Amino acid sequence: MSVQPFQPLSGLARRLVNDGVFSSDVAMDALKTARKDNKPFIAHIIENRLVSAYRAAAAAADEFGMPLLDLEVIDIEALPQGLVDEKLITKHHALPLIKRENRLYVAISDPTNIQALDEFKFHTGTTTEGVIVEEDKLSNLIDTFLDEQNSALDGLEDADLDNLEIDEGLTEQQEDTGEEAANDAPIVRFVNKILLDAIKTGASDIHFEPYEKSYRIRCRIDGILQEVAKPPSNLASRLCARLKVMSQMDISERRIPQDGRIKMKISKNRAIDFRVNTLPTLWGEKVVLRILDPTSAQMGIEALGYDEDQKELFMQTLHKPQGMILVTGPTGSGKTVSLYTGLNILNTVERNISTAEDPVEINLEGINQVHVNIKVGLTFAEALRSFLRQDPDVVMVGEIRDIETAEIAIKAAQTGHMVLSTLHTNSAAETLTRLRNMGVPAFNIATSVSMIIAQRLGRRLCNGCKKPASIPETTLLEEGFTPEQIKAGLNIFEHNPEGCNKCNKGYKGRVGVYETMSMSPEIAQVIMDNGSSLDILNTAKQQGFRSLRLSALRKVIQGVTSLEEMNRVIKL
């Protein structure tokens, strides 16, 4: 009979054997079974009742020199909100407990789960430390935490539509003018329901539109406007009055556009802001609400859709001591979320960060945000001048609209500051020529701009109901796929128009499509030689630059979206 080589136990298994919890044979069997089931050793021995959760946690803490914490002393309402998404918590069976300045303490039951701490560190930009807790208590706390996170959406249909907590802040003038419609109970309930339904479906905007003989309400869901209600046209003035009261506008003023804001608390831990604008039209005032969800600014770079090489380039450039990163694209392409994601990564106690925005959409803790006010002379340029007198490390300018703002931003980038901003151009190469056409000298562009990101947003295919697409080879070649890719086989999917109960006509959510261009010496030379955007593009391609179209085709190959959707967002 052959003798199996002896395999010495290590770590927690050895510790529990030495403590007399179970024999070495039982430990070896448990290790083999755990590996076979692809399950952590500690979870396996607790599930099979080889040891109590507390005994295992205490032994793990002692063996690995980590602190042991009883989760019963933790207040679930005090847990950090929005730091990481649900998938990361579930994947690693770990939960953020406490955030102090730039240090995050994460509850884990398995001390060997180093990958969890590394991924939490990457996503949050913090220094992470593990805290050992009992496995069963951690499972219960994670379930409760995620249930509370989702209850704000899952319970919207059961919300008390009459008593939602909304800061209306009526002025004395509004109370005096106060149209009865503004507080009419059926109108209050109807408007509250429209707002809650929009949040639940993930809409970005809500449009209240009056016409001569009709009235319609539309929501922009995944970038596409969809009609959600058609109330009687005689309710137009009452709906508008209610929205004005909620957003603290002047009810009596109907001749000029107005801006306001609504804050709606939908759970203990979650509040949603709406940016509101009214516009006098031929048949009444149109009201548009932009939904501002703070969690969208904390999604983390992983959720944005960057390819690995693009993400790495962005992170490297972001952590340079100085330079300028420009994000470009049309309205609604996700530029603000990209900027906020970068700011969140840079937001540490060691950095002084200031932003000039028009308007400030989402409040970011630890960042000095300035709301641009043209009427009183507080322009982007004026705010930027003031920032430079306040010892900044990072500056964000909402948009470079004129030569004055461009010159100050470039000066900041050249004098030891990291500057983030946006421009309205169609591609990365066009951005450089746009700056030159604005009047910025070529030398300043070449020495200050570090990176340009051009982006679009496309709808994601629903994983539950997407189906394989049958596309002729000639069409694939016309779309931009290479003969090699076609020969190797392409698994391309299309949306299911009927959809399912988890999606919207075959799509659910959106994904970013990017082209990232770094300022290389060769591109800088083309700019110095007054080359065109085509010259810049050709030079970049020689260095491996991938255009928006090629990035979009990658998303199609990966099954993230459909060819039809990419053609809608990015034309050939």
Side-chain angles (χ1 to χ4, degrees):
M1 185 175 73
S2 62
V3 179
Q4 294 294 328
F6 175 68
Q7 296 178 345
L9 296 169
S10 61
L12 180 59
R14 181 185 60 193
R15 178 57 182 256
L16 291 171
V17 170
N18 291 340
D19 288 350
V21 176
F22 41 59
S23 67
S24 58
D25 290 338
V26 171
M28 287 300 301
D29 287 342
L31 281 168
K32 291 176 183 176
T33 307
R35 289 195 192 104
K36 181 181 177 182
D37 296 342
N38 195 25
K39 184 178 291 185
F41 172 70
I42 193 167
H44 173 78
I45 60 176
I46 292 171
E47 280 182 16
N48 289 274
R49 300 187 178 182
L50 298 176
V51 64
S52 69
Y54 175 76
R55 185 74 181 269
D62 198 28
E63 176 68 21
F64 289 86
M66 298 174 72
L68 176 65
L69 178 69
D70 184 358
L71 286 178
E72 289 186 1
V73 304
I74 294 295
D75 179 6
I76 193 167
E77 293 187 10
L79 294 176
Q81 303 291 323
L83 282 180
V84 293
D85 61 24
E86 179 180 334
K87 290 180 181 178
L88 200 61
I89 293 172
T90 305
K91 174 184 175 183
H92 291 297
H93 196 61
L95 185 67
L97 289 180
I98 304 168
K99 186 174 185 292
R100 290 177 181 162
E101 295 184 346
N102 194 41
R103 191 171 297 275
L104 180 67
Y105 296 90
V106 180
I108 55 175
S109 60
D110 180 8
T112 64
N113 192 3
I114 304 301
Q115 186 184 0
L117 300 180
D118 289 342
E119 287 205 34
F120 275 68
K121 178 180 180 180
F122 178 80
H123 282 270
T124 62
T126 61
T127 300
T128 56
E129 290 189 15
V131 178
I132 298 297
V133 298
E134 294 160 66
E135 166 69 19
D136 53 351
K137 291 181 180 178
L138 177 59
S139 296
N140 291 336
L141 185 62
I142 287 176
D143 289 343
T144 306
F145 177 76
L146 295 180
D147 284 345
E148 289 219 355
Q149 291 283 90
N150 295 327
S151 64
L153 294 181
D154 295 339
L156 285 182
E157 292 178 354
D158 302 322
D160 185 349
L161 298 177
D162 292 315
N163 297 303
L164 278 174
E165 190 174 327
I166 297 171
D167 182 12
E168 296 184 3
L170 288 175
T171 65
E172 186 176 332
Q173 180 272 334
Q174 286 174 323
E175 288 176 344
D176 292 341
T177 308
E179 299 183 11
E180 292 182 9
N183 295 307
D184 185 1
I187 293 293
V188 170
R189 285 180 58 82
F190 179 75
V191 171
N192 287 350
K193 186 177 189 309
I194 291 293
L195 268 55
L196 288 169
D197 286 348
I199 296 168
K200 185 178 179 181
T201 56
S204 59
D205 303 86
I206 313 171
H207 295 242
F208 291 80
E209 302 170 309
Y211 298 98
E212 182 180 10
K213 296 180 181 179
S214 64
Y215 192 95
R216 73 177 176 184
I217 301 172
R218 295 187 293 172
C219 288
R220 190 176 294 278
I221 302 171
D222 294 337
I224 305 294
L225 276 172
Q226 299 177 21
E227 188 175 290
V228 296
K230 290 196 75 172
S233 58
N234 59 4
L235 294 181
S237 60
R238 297 163 71 186
L239 289 169
C240 182
R242 175 59 189 163
L243 291 166
K244 281 185 171 182
V245 167
M246 294 172 71
S247 50
Q248 304 177 34
M249 295 183 191
D250 184 350
I251 296 177
S252 63
E253 180 56 75
R254 302 180 180 88
R255 300 164 299 175
I256 60 174
Q258 294 188 67
D259 291 295
R261 206 173 180 101
I262 298 172
K263 189 176 189 68
M264 176 184 286
K265 191 169 184 180
I266 58 176
S267 71
K268 287 182 180 179
N269 302 314
R270 189 179 178 200
I272 301 290
D273 283 357
F274 298 83
R275 193 180 78 213
V276 188
N277 177 265
T278 66
L279 178 68
T281 65
L282 189 60
W283 305 108
E285 290 178 274
K286 175 177 178 177
V287 186
V288 177
L289 287 73
R290 166 64 59 89
I291 301 175
L292 308 174
D293 187 350
T295 59
S296 67
Q298 299 176 339
M299 289 194 301
I301 194 170
E302 292 288 343
L304 297 186
Y306 284 94
D307 291 332
E308 280 300 317
D309 57 333
Q310 295 174 333
K311 181 181 71 176
E312 185 178 348
L313 181 60
F314 185 27
M315 295 293 286
Q316 288 176 353
T317 309
L318 203 57
H319 285 94
K320 287 183 177 180
Q322 67 184 63
M324 181 185 291
I325 298 176
L326 293 172
V327 183
T328 76
T331 301
S333 60
K335 299 189 297 295
T336 301
V337 172
S338 288
L339 289 178
Y340 279 171
T341 300
L343 289 177
N344 273 321
I345 292 170
L346 294 173
N347 187 13
T348 62
V349 71
E350 297 88 6
R351 291 189 179 96
N352 176 23
I353 304 176
S354 296
T355 73
E357 304 172 58
D358 183 20
V360 174
E361 293 197 351
I362 296 173
N363 298 327
L364 300 175
E365 186 71 26
I367 293 177
N368 309 290
Q369 296 173 273
V370 174
H371 187 115
V372 169
N373 188 340
I374 307 297
K375 293 179 181 178
V376 298
L378 182 55
T379 61
F380 281 121
E382 282 302 316
L384 200 44
R385 284 195 189 92
S386 182
F387 291 166
L388 296 180
R389 294 192 289 270
Q390 296 217 335
D391 184 33
D393 296 298
V394 180
V395 170
M396 193 269 271
V397 186
E399 183 184 350
I400 294 179
R401 296 177 177 173
D402 50 52
I403 181 62
E404 184 181 17
T405 307
E407 286 177 341
I408 301 170
I410 283 172
K411 178 183 176 183
Q414 290 174 331
T415 54
H417 308 92
M418 173 54 68
V419 180
L420 287 78
S421 191
T422 70
L423 267 176
H424 284 284
T425 57
N426 292 324
S427 68
E430 289 176 24
T431 303
L432 296 171
T433 54
R434 169 74 187 277
L435 285 172
R436 196 169 57 205
N437 292 338
M438 287 174 68
V440 179
F443 174 78
N444 284 343
I445 298 172
T447 57
S448 61
V449 177
S450 300
M451 180 183 183
I452 303 161
I453 301 171
Q455 65 180 76
R456 302 289 189 275
L457 282 179
R459 290 178 292 173
R460 286 181 182 269
L461 284 169
C462 171
N463 287 325
C465 65
K466 67 182 181 183
K467 54 186 183 180
S470 179
I471 303 174
E473 184 175 325
T474 53
T475 304
L476 293 174
L477 288 169
E478 291 171 358
E479 292 288 354
F481 294 103
T482 65
E484 292 76 16
Q485 288 174 324
I486 298 171
K487 187 176 180 181
L490 294 171
N491 292 320
I492 297 178
F493 292 88
E494 62 184 0
H495 76 292
N496 180 358
E498 287 79 29
C500 63
N501 58 2
K502 294 182 179 179
C503 69
N504 180 35
K505 297 180 181 178
Y507 293 101
K508 183 174 176 60
R510 290 194 286 178
V511 64
V513 180
Y514 305 89
E515 61 181 27
T516 53
M517 179 183 289
S518 183
M519 181 63 73
S520 65
E522 292 79 10
I523 293 175
Q525 187 59 54
V526 174
I527 295 169
M528 295 292 290
D529 294 339
N530 289 322
S532 66
S533 58
L534 189 59
D535 296 328
I536 296 170
L537 180 62
N538 290 334
T539 303
K541 283 182 176 178
Q542 294 171 10
Q543 300 170 356
F545 170 77
R546 194 162 60 252
S547 68
L548 275 171
R549 182 68 186 177
L550 291 179
S551 294
L553 294 181
R554 278 197 171 196
K555 292 286 187 293
V556 174
I557 293 172
Q558 293 163 5
V560 175
T561 190
S562 65
L563 192 57
E564 177 187 6
E565 176 65 8
M566 285 298 97
N567 282 329
R568 183 186 71 84
V569 176
I570 302 166
K571 302 297 181 184
L572 276 171

